[in-house]
Amino acid sequence: MHAPTWDEHADWWQREFTDGADPEYVEQIIPLALRHLEGRRRVIDIGTGEGQIARATASVLGADVIGIDPTSSQIAEARRRAGGPEYLVAGADALPVDDESFDAAVVCLVFEHVDDLASSIHEVARVLRPGGRLLLFLNHPLLQTPGSALIIDHMVEPAETYWRLGPYLPGAVSVEEVQKDVFVRFVHRPLSHYLNGLVDAGLMLTRMEEPSPPPGFLAKSGDAERDLVAATPRLLLLVAEKPIGVP
Ligand SMILES: C[S@@+](CC[C@H](N)C(=O)[O-])C[C@H]1O[C@@H](n2cnc3c(N)ncnc32)[C@H](O)[C@@H]1O
């Protein structure tokens, strides 16, 4: 099957998930990012897309922000939307910036599209100064496996509502139709691959958050499934730091 590229669906992403269109970004992801970035002066947003986290970080926190993304249509839109950050076209596995030049790095819903996870995490570790912080946002790798879905089984009485998990342990590349005629390539990995990737790059986990979906997202669920949706995290945030004083 043809492997879809981000250039093919950047307009879908920009329309559906940015500029206030998506309650998870407005109510949860951007506020979480700002909370964990407070006080950080130089920030790199890796896989910045059209720059929504980069712009918020620059405008709300007054940080100097560089956003990088290999998808030229995302960077073109980020530059058009402007708002403070500087943008570069580059991939996560070869960041065109100096060693130890950032107080924080944000990687939001990006590593599930990246093939070379180890190199990408090592690049984060390289560009962070000692004491620098990584915010790694992921589609929750345990609960958002390929094939996971809300199931309402009307074959039993009363109807049973449950969360179906697809295969968790095998790493897998899948192409999912996320909306009619929009195909996105995902790389699924178990959580241990991310955590061990941080360990191997010398980064230390300092916080993990798995929030319930925010009110604006839950409002879109039917009454029958809202409690289950509220109990099933979509998002995982790992916060890790580069230790000070370790050679
Ligand atoms: C789901 S979007 C997230 C955009 C942005 N981080 C946000 O939260 O709004 C995924 C982004 O990852 C980018 N991406 C894909 N492969 C990448 C890679 N190898 N290195 C860096 N970014 C990549 C895509 O171009 C796309 O903009």
Side-chain angles (χ1 to χ4, degrees):
M1 186 191 205
H2 157 73
T5 67
W6 267 91
D7 263 318
E8 288 166 49
H9 43 252
D11 60 337
W12 158 77
W13 174 259
Q14 292 161 13
R15 188 176 61 246
E16 302 289 332
F17 294 96
T18 73
D19 210 11
D22 178 41
E24 289 185 279
Y25 269 96
V26 174
E27 297 173 23
Q28 187 161 73
I29 294 175
I30 293 174
L32 265 174
L34 294 177
R35 176 148 61 83
H36 286 283
L37 288 173
E38 199 159 358
R40 309 272 154 173
R41 304 309 312 154
R42 270 188 61 76
V43 177
I44 184 166
D45 183 18
I46 298 166
T48 190
E50 55 64 65
Q52 57 185 334
I53 296 177
R55 270 193 307 285
T57 304
S59 66
V60 178
L61 301 181
D64 291 335
V65 186
I66 292 186
I68 73 106
D69 199 293
T71 304
S72 48
S73 49
Q74 293 277 53
I75 291 296
E77 186 59 15
R79 287 183 176 139
R80 197 186 68 75
R81 293 183 180 187
E86 189 186 321
Y87 292 104
L88 300 170
V89 176
D93 59 353
L95 300 174
V97 295
D98 291 340
D99 294 358
E100 304 196 345
S101 51
F102 291 92
D103 300 316
V106 179
V107 184
C108 182
L109 307 188
V110 173
F111 279 174
E112 45 278 82
H113 305 289
V114 161
D115 288 304
D116 191 347
L117 180 67
S119 300
S120 301
I121 298 181
H122 275 90
E123 275 295 86
V124 173
R126 178 182 70 78
V127 305
L128 284 177
R129 66 158 173 81
R133 174 177 289 179
L134 164 65
L135 308 191
L136 175 54
F137 291 89
L138 298 165
N139 290 295
H140 199 299
L142 183 57
L143 290 157
Q144 307 296 328
T145 55
S148 63
L150 177 78
I151 304 293
I152 303 177
D153 183 356
H154 292 283
M155 300 298 280
V156 293
E157 183 61 48
E160 194 183 353
T161 304
Y162 62 93
W163 189 251
R164 179 184 70 199
L165 288 182
Y168 170 69
L169 280 176
V173 176
S174 60
V175 174
E176 293 179 24
E177 188 170 21
V178 290
Q179 196 176 72
K180 190 172 176 333
D181 298 332
V182 180
F183 296 89
V184 180
R185 180 178 182 275
F186 289 92
V187 184
H188 166 72
R189 305 174 172 92
L191 180 55
S192 53
H193 288 211
Y194 289 104
L195 292 175
N196 292 332
L198 297 177
V199 172
D200 291 346
L203 297 174
M204 194 174 66
L205 185 71
T206 56
R207 194 88 199 150
M208 169 169 159
E209 304 217 15
E210 28 186 15
S212 174
F217 183 85
L218 294 176
K220 296 184 194 167
S221 305
D223 289 343
E225 68 263 21
R226 189 164 301 120
D227 285 352
L228 176 62
V229 174
T232 309
R234 292 165 56 78
L235 188 70
L236 174 68
L237 169 59
L238 301 175
V239 182
E241 292 187 5
K242 179 165 174 171
I244 296 173
V246 177

